[in-house]
Every structure is written in structure tokens, then in C-alpha cells.
Amino acid sequence: MTTLTEGIYATESFISEAPGDRSREAIVVKSGQNLKACAVLATIVSGTVASAAKSGGNTGNGTFTLDGTTPLLLGAKLGVYTLRCTAAAANNGTFRLEDPDGLVLGDIVMAAGAATVAEQIKGALADGSSDFVVGDGFDITVTVATEKEVEYNPAGTDGSQIATGILYGAINATSADTRGVAYKRDCEHNADIVVWKSGITATQKAKGTADLKRRGIILR
């Protein structure tokens, strides 16, 4: 039997969490949201970020342009990201992205003179009239980064199209950002009481379910 107590669903065998409640974390629900308990969430990252050619400049005159809508993605850190050419090629090149802690996030191979970078930061590499050489690159500086939760919206383009968690208790953030708690990882959740956005299709629900599974959240 399922009951609703103070906006929080309670049921026998409702959820199996990682030890020590590590599945849950404090969140901030973005203003303008009025969400029921067990609503499927998405995370929007915003902040201040800037890109510039590495100190000393580049031989190649290609560019790296931050995405105009979502320059910061999930997991973005404060500090300086480095994007460096590790293999040169005519009108192309391979670039390595490292986070502010020096962790390698990936190698990006340009094709037809262009490539998209989309790991914690997002932007576009483009070849210029002079080719990049090994060592050329860009520094991307993140000085502010905040994460806020919204309702999962598969039609979104601002990060809301990726499901990242399940709200623990109902939150009315209509007027202002509001703190709450959500399941964000490593748990099994009762699928019957998960609240999806109104009008969502079966295909979109399956996509959201797959997003959650990648974070260790299994709907049963």
C-alpha cells in the first residue's frame, strides 16, 4: 500500500538505496517549478565561462567557440580546462580536453575541419586558413558554476532533456529557488509512483528511464 505523508511517498519496499543514504543528495529546484514527490528531474548547469587561445598564442588560426545556449554541462568544475592539439592534420587535428584537476576527459578528432566538444564544457572547434600544430590550443576558464533541478523535459535543449534524478518530496518553487532532496544515484525505485512530465510519450519515457539507469537509478 502506498501513502502520501507531508508530500513524501512512503511504501513498503519503496526503494532500495546505497548504504548510508548515499543515493540522496541536497538539491536546489529552480524557480518556476512546482513539482510533486517522485517527479523525474533534470539538471541545468549555468555560470560564467570564457575561452581564449593558450598563453603565447597559436600557430593555427582556427577557433574554439563556446556554445551559446549550454556552455557548461553536468559536472562542470571551477578552474581552467585545457584543450590542446596532440596530433596535427591538414585542415583537422586531434585535441585532448583536461579538466581543472588535470583529468583527461577525452580526445576530440576533427573531421571536415570541425568538431564538437561536449564533456563538462561545450563548444565548437573550427579549422582556419592556417592549420593547428601540436601544442596549439585553448584555455576555458569557469569562474562560476551552479546546478539547479527542473522537471525532465525530453523536448528541452538546455540540459532539461537528460533525466538525472527523482525528487524525494514535493517542492513548490514557483516564486523562488527552493532547496530539497533527490535520489541522484545507485538505487532501485518503484516505477509505479514515478511522476513524469504531463504528455510524455512512451518513447520519451524510455529515454528518460535509460538516462536514470546510467546513473545507477533503476526503475522496477
Side-chain angles (χ1 to χ4, degrees):
M1 182 180 75
T2 301
T3 59
L4 183 63
T5 305
E6 296 181 352
I8 300 175
Y9 283 99
T11 183
E12 286 188 20
S13 302
F14 160 63
I15 190 165
S16 174
E17 300 183 58
D21 294 338
R22 289 197 301 271
S23 300
R24 284 180 262 171
E25 66 180 55
I27 60 167
V28 175
V29 176
K30 184 177 174 63
S31 62
Q33 308 287 305
N34 187 5
L35 304 177
K36 296 179 180 179
C38 301
V40 179
L41 301 173
T43 306
I44 293 179
V45 183
S46 60
T48 303
V49 58
S51 174
K54 71 175 180 62
S55 177
N58 294 325
T59 298
N61 62 356
T63 59
F64 175 73
T65 306
L66 288 163
D67 187 84
T69 303
T70 55
L72 298 178
L73 303 177
L74 281 176
K77 300 177 180 179
L78 299 180
V80 180
Y81 288 78
T82 59
L83 186 63
R84 295 290 187 268
C85 182
T86 57
N91 302 316
N92 290 299
T94 299
F95 283 74
R96 173 162 290 180
L97 177 66
E98 295 186 6
D99 76 2
D101 296 319
L103 299 176
V104 176
L105 299 180
D107 291 321
I108 299 97
V109 181
M110 297 178 69
T116 297
V117 177
E119 183 61 52
Q120 298 185 17
I121 60 170
K122 186 176 182 181
L125 274 166
D127 181 48
S129 56
S130 298
D131 289 337
F132 290 116
V133 300
V134 172
D136 277 357
F138 302 88
D139 293 334
I140 303 94
T141 303
V142 179
T143 52
V144 179
T146 60
E147 294 186 356
K148 296 181 182 180
E149 307 300 316
V150 297
E151 185 176 33
Y152 166 60
N153 177 17
T157 58
D158 56 357
S160 60
Q161 71 274 20
I162 303 171
T164 59
I166 299 173
L167 188 63
Y168 183 64
I171 295 287
N172 186 343
T174 302
S175 301
D177 293 350
T178 305
R179 295 185 181 278
V181 175
Y183 298 102
K184 298 290 284 184
R185 66 185 73 78
D186 302 329
C187 64
E188 293 186 0
H189 200 288
N190 187 340
D192 293 337
I193 57 176
V194 167
V195 179
W196 297 93
K197 182 178 175 63
S198 176
I200 195 170
T201 67
T203 298
Q204 292 170 333
K205 187 181 294 186
K207 190 266 183 187
T209 299
D211 289 344
L212 294 173
K213 186 176 181 179
R214 282 191 288 273
R215 299 176 69 88
I217 303 172
I218 309 301
L219 301 184
R220 299 288 190 191

